[in-house]
Amino acid sequence: MKTFNKNLLLIYTTKFFGIITGFLSVLLVIPKLTSNPTIYGVYTICTSLGLFFSYADLGFLSACQKYAAEYYVKKELKQEMKIIAFALFILAIFVGLILFFLAFVALNPSLIIKTTNLYDLKIASQLIFILIAFAPVIIIQKLNVLVFSIRIEDYIYQAIDIFFNIIKIGIISFFVTSSNYDIVGYYISIQLLTLLSSLTALVIIKKKYQYQLWYLVKQFHFSKEVFAKTKKLAFSSLLLTIAWILYFEMDTLILSKFYGVQTVAIYAVAVVFLNFLRNLYNTLFGPYNAYFYRFTAVNDIEGLNNTFITLMKWSFPLIVLPSLALILNMKTIIHIWVGTLYDKSILISQMFVFTIALTAICVPISYYFIANSFNKSIRFLALLLPLVFYSSLVLFDFFGFKEYSLASATLTTILINTFFIIAIMAFKTTLKIMSLLFSVLVKCSVPVIITFVLYNLIPTIDINSANSTSHFIQLGMSLFCTVLIPLLVYYFIEESTRKKIVFFLKSKY
């Protein structure tokens, strides 16, 4: 437990600096890219295609992570490597298949982009070909993530990422200026830096963990033994993967095809908040995914349940309160950040923030399901996502929601999914999930009231004044106060969480 707490602190520390670099990217990179909304829309569409690689393992990667983590607990390194190599082999096959699809799209970009402008289509084609050229890097990245995460030493990989992300932020001025908008050159550069970052992490894995890379390469093939062990959980993960692609990753393509690249740009601004919060919550919960496996490896269900309860108690306000502060201040944030040109992004951003907050509440429960191999429940939830999403999308569009249809459908889907995932947890486990959620909601009520009071007491920022730097400083201080003070109040009210935090801080020594 002490080692876990120490690693958790290091993970959160490096991720905190990662969040700062993320803010720098938002403040320095996005405004430059959005200076040309049409090309930025094209760039968003093309780069979103790269997300398909994240799901190319057909669920075997997440299934293999569970079993590789259990072998790590049992100190069986070669079995761990065998499991990981098999997962990477499956990933490589389907990355190859996706490349054929991307090559076809690169040659015919009008299939996904609603425009007749030949220059826009040429840029799209170039960006997709760059994506194809660097696609194999995803295999190295997945290896790095697996190896570091099952040891709960993600902070090493995160530190490497931070270093290279700072470079990515720094080079934007070389490619996007008042007289030049070289989006293709910028994209090539960040892909090269991503490759260098991945290779650096790979060298550390080889030296730090005595990973025999040649043995890993020899195990890079199909294995009936590993397939038999992982197929049930992998199939559940596959359905969830397909559902997540249909629900989450198709939005840019849907918007582009039916509403045009200008609408894509409006949504792209909102998606920045979605991705930022999703990364934040993945940071909070990510280490617990591998940590849950340590309990299932030795069949310690009581220990797993206690860890889950503790996690929900201390993480719940970190989900609710920052999201509420962002929703309340969204109009000011959008106007200061990208200007009134993106007014339509305000409501969409608010809906997305609320959506990701609900999603974050469900993440620990989904980790609990995977750790316990609740395959039927995982499959049911997987089928539910796209069914509700596309039904809602058609319905909202029919009733004239227009560009707001997708955001409304996304929110509706997560509301229904949250209801079912909590219901399954209540009926399928011995955990009193309803009592737990009611308890933290009651204790969050006072901090929520304080957030509203602070929002109304803090003076409104005059965005018509000329000093944009002053605007960012005032906004940052406003958000800091409306998040930090309510959080401190919550942790003062919640006694068990307060004790855990004190123990956590002491354990680093």
Side-chain angles (χ1 to χ4, degrees):
M1 184 67 179
K2 188 173 182 179
T3 301
F4 172 70
N5 287 335
K6 178 183 176 182
N7 287 354
L8 196 63
L9 180 62
L10 289 170
I11 289 170
Y12 289 163
T13 301
T14 52
K15 196 61 182 182
F16 171 75
F17 288 105
I19 290 170
I20 291 175
T21 60
F23 268 125
L24 289 174
S25 178
V26 168
L27 293 175
L28 302 177
V29 177
I30 300 298
K32 286 182 177 291
L33 295 180
T34 54
S35 63
N36 188 329
T38 301
I39 297 299
Y40 179 56
V42 172
Y43 173 78
T44 302
I45 294 165
C46 295
T47 53
S48 70
L49 293 173
L51 295 174
F52 284 107
F53 291 128
S54 302
Y55 304 108
D57 61 282
L58 299 185
F60 280 96
L61 210 64
S62 57
C64 288
Q65 182 184 21
K66 168 180 165 58
Y67 296 108
E70 291 177 355
Y71 279 127
Y72 168 72
V73 172
K74 298 172 183 177
K75 302 187 185 300
E76 297 180 25
L77 181 60
K78 288 200 171 181
Q79 286 297 320
E80 173 198 327
M81 295 173 71
K82 190 174 181 179
I83 291 276
I84 290 175
F86 171 78
L88 296 177
F89 174 75
I90 299 295
L91 174 65
I93 291 174
F94 286 93
V95 164
L97 293 176
I98 291 171
L99 290 181
F100 283 106
F101 164 73
L102 290 180
F104 181 73
V105 173
L107 295 171
N108 304 276
S110 58
L111 291 172
I112 62 167
I113 297 177
K114 186 181 179 181
T115 182
T116 56
N117 188 304
L118 294 178
Y119 178 73
D120 292 349
L121 293 174
K122 180 183 176 182
I123 292 292
S125 183
Q126 291 174 339
L127 292 173
I128 297 171
F129 275 123
I130 294 167
L131 179 63
I132 292 170
F134 286 92
V137 178
I138 191 69
I139 297 171
I140 304 174
Q141 288 179 313
K142 291 296 185 183
L143 170 61
N144 294 335
V145 169
L146 278 173
V147 174
F148 286 119
S149 65
I150 64 178
R151 286 161 175 77
I152 315 180
E153 294 186 349
D154 311 57
Y155 58 88
I156 298 173
Y157 194 36
Q158 289 170 1
I160 296 169
D161 265 353
I162 290 168
F163 175 77
F164 284 96
N165 284 340
I166 291 171
I167 299 175
K168 290 177 185 179
I169 293 168
I171 65 173
I172 183 65
S173 297
F174 293 103
F175 298 96
V176 180
T177 63
S178 58
S179 59
N180 183 46
Y181 194 92
D182 184 10
I183 195 72
V184 174
Y186 178 67
Y187 192 48
I188 290 175
S189 299
I190 63 176
Q191 290 289 346
L192 286 169
L193 288 168
T194 299
L195 172 60
L196 189 56
S197 170
S198 300
L199 292 175
T200 302
L202 189 62
V203 171
I204 292 173
I205 285 173
K206 183 178 183 302
K207 292 184 176 180
K208 183 176 177 63
Y209 305 128
Q210 288 77 50
Y211 242 66
Q212 303 170 32
L213 296 182
W214 180 241
Y215 178 80
L216 191 71
V217 170
K218 288 195 294 184
Q219 300 302 316
F220 191 76
H221 58 74
F222 184 81
S223 168
K224 288 184 179 180
E225 177 191 349
V226 178
F227 178 75
K229 187 178 184 67
T230 60
K231 63 181 180 181
K232 288 185 179 180
L233 184 56
F235 180 65
S236 300
S237 298
L238 170 60
L239 283 180
L240 196 58
T241 297
I242 294 172
W244 196 251
I245 291 173
L246 292 173
Y247 158 67
F248 189 76
E249 305 298 1
M250 297 295 289
D251 54 357
T252 301
L253 299 181
I254 292 169
L255 290 168
S256 170
K257 193 65 180 175
F258 296 101
Y259 299 101
V261 293
Q262 292 284 353
T263 303
V264 173
I266 290 170
Y267 265 83
V269 171
V271 168
V272 169
F273 295 99
L274 188 68
N275 289 336
F276 170 74
L277 287 173
R278 187 168 62 165
N279 289 335
L280 176 62
Y281 298 143
N282 284 340
T283 299
L284 288 175
F285 300 126
Y288 283 89
N289 190 20
Y291 194 51
F292 282 1
Y293 299 149
R294 297 191 177 188
F295 293 102
T296 56
V298 294
N299 200 30
D300 182 8
I301 302 303
E302 184 181 352
L304 176 61
N305 289 346
N306 290 335
T307 302
F308 175 84
I309 291 169
T310 300
L311 173 60
M312 289 297 290
K313 283 183 176 180
W314 75 259
S315 65
F316 193 86
L318 289 173
I319 297 167
V320 173
L321 299 175
S323 299
L324 178 60
L326 284 173
I327 289 170
L328 292 174
N329 289 278
M330 190 58 70
K331 182 177 179 180
T332 305
I333 294 170
I334 295 293
H335 283 173
I336 291 175
W337 178 34
V338 290
T340 56
L341 183 64
Y342 290 87
D343 262 355
K344 288 184 177 180
S345 294
I346 296 169
L347 179 57
I348 294 169
S349 298
Q350 290 171 326
M351 295 170 76
F352 275 180
V353 169
F354 187 50
T355 297
I356 202 66
L358 287 172
T359 304
I361 293 170
C362 296
V363 168
I365 302 177
S366 65
Y367 285 171
Y368 188 94
F369 285 0
I370 294 170
N372 286 287
S373 299
F374 289 170
N375 294 313
K376 289 183 180 179
S377 300
I378 295 170
R379 292 167 193 171
F380 169 75
L381 292 167
L383 293 172
L384 185 69
L385 274 176
L387 180 64
V388 175
F389 175 67
Y390 285 99
S391 299
S392 303
L393 183 60
V394 171
L395 191 64
F396 285 121
D397 190 64
F398 176 78
F399 282 106
F401 280 56
K402 297 181 180 179
E403 64 265 19
Y404 295 105
S405 297
L406 189 138
S408 302
T410 301
L411 179 56
T412 302
T413 303
I414 290 302
L415 281 168
I416 294 173
N417 181 74
T418 302
F419 169 79
F420 277 104
I421 199 170
I422 292 173
I424 292 169
M425 187 73 169
F427 286 107
K428 201 174 179 68
T429 71
T430 56
L431 276 169
K432 296 179 180 179
I433 187 67
M434 297 303 295
S435 298
L436 176 62
L437 290 175
F438 180 75
S439 172
V440 292
L441 278 171
V442 168
K443 289 171 183 175
C444 264
S445 59
V446 174
V448 165
I449 293 170
I450 292 172
T451 301
F452 277 102
V453 171
L454 288 171
Y455 170 72
N456 286 285
L457 287 177
I458 295 173
T460 304
I461 299 172
D462 180 15
I463 61 172
N464 295 316
S465 62
N467 194 343
S468 61
T469 303
S470 174
H471 294 161
F472 279 117
I473 294 172
Q474 290 178 62
L475 178 60
M477 292 177 65
S478 174
L479 288 172
F480 182 77
C481 291
T482 52
V483 171
L484 182 63
I485 294 173
L487 276 176
L488 292 174
V489 170
Y490 173 85
Y491 291 125
F492 178 78
I493 295 171
E494 171 47 51
E495 183 181 358
S496 62
T497 305
R498 185 172 68 248
K499 289 179 179 178
K500 291 285 184 181
I501 292 173
V502 171
F503 174 78
F504 173 76
L505 293 173
K506 287 181 178 179
S507 68
K508 70 177 182 177
Y509 299 108

